[in-house]
């Protein structure tokens, strides 16, 4: 079946540190991959996505590359800010009406 | 424009009671999804509508859960004989179309259900 595994949190970083949140997936076929973010007190919102192998999604300084050979979609940012503190969810959609399958989420806390 | 809205934002009920949770999608979005998020977990898919019909209800945990979307816009998730294990945040999302798995889903703020 389809599944997503993320690194466990919480992840605590100092401002301007480099961020990596690991995400691997299991799926049949060629899924689309997403990162959603949930800021404190807000709803889930799309951060970035990639729809085919070797695509790179990017937004707000965050990047993730769709690696089919390693079934991964790791999220990276070169210099985090306090405002990036949130819970990050990796997800896939596998041509089943667009339903999303989420990982368990990784909480990021950035300290000034 | 207006995003996805959900009402109520919080619902506390007693075990065995019936509850209804409402979702107003973004105007014009034909696809609507319900997810359930337990504490510390990612959202889990419940049901998906394309227009008025439930295209995929494979995520509904049992027959106590039911959802409708009679006019292809507003949707109601209905839970009968609630149990303490039903306590979670229920999320609704909509997207412009369902013909591709690449569409962005826009999420509402959720309804936090607590069953005492």
């Amino acid at each position: 079946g389809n599944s997503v595994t993320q690194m466990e949190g919480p992840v605590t970083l100092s401002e301007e540190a480099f961020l990596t949140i690991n995400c691997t997936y299991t799926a049949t076929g060629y899924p689309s991959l997403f990162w959603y973010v949930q800021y404190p007190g807000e709803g889930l919102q799309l951060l970035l996505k990639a729809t085919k192998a070797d695509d790179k999604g990017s937004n707000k300084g965050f990047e993730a590359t769709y690696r089919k050979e390693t079934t991964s979609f790791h999220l990276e940012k070169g210099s985090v800010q306090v405002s990036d503190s949130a819970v990050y969810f990796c997800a896939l959609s596998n041509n089943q009406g667009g339903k999303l399958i989420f990982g368990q989420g990784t909480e990021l806390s950035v300290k000034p | 424009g207006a995003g996805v809205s959900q009402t109520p934002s919080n619902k506390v009920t007693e075990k065995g009671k019936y509850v209804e949770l409402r979702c107003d999608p973004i105007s014009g979005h034909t696809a609507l999804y319900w997810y359930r998020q337990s504490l510390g977990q990612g959202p889990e898919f419940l049901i998906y509508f394309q227009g008025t019909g439930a295209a995929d209800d494979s995520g509904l945990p049992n027959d106590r859960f039911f959802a409708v979307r009679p006019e292809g816009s507003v949707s109601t998730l209905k839970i009968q004989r609630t149990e303490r294990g039903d306590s979670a945040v229920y999320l609704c999302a909509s997207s412009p179309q369902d013909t591709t798995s690449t569409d962005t889903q826009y999420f509402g703020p959720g309804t936090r259900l607590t069953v005492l």
Side-chain angles (χ1 to χ4, degrees), chain A residues 36 46 49 93 95 97-98 100 103, chain B residues 33 35 37 42-43 101-102 104-105:
Chain A
Y36 277 80
L46 179 69
K49 66 182 180 183
S93 179
N95 293 318
L100 292 167
Chain B
Y33 305 81
Y35 296 85
Q37 186 175 16
S101 63
T102 65
T104 298
Q105 292 184 24

Side-chain angles (χ1 to χ4, degrees), chain A residues 34-37 44-49 59-60, chain B residues 104-105:
Chain A
F34 305 80
W35 277 99
Y36 277 80
V37 59
L44 273 169
Q45 55 187 275
L46 179 69
L47 180 59
L48 54 84
K49 66 182 180 183
N59 186 27
K60 298 182 180 180
Chain B
T104 298
Q105 292 184 24

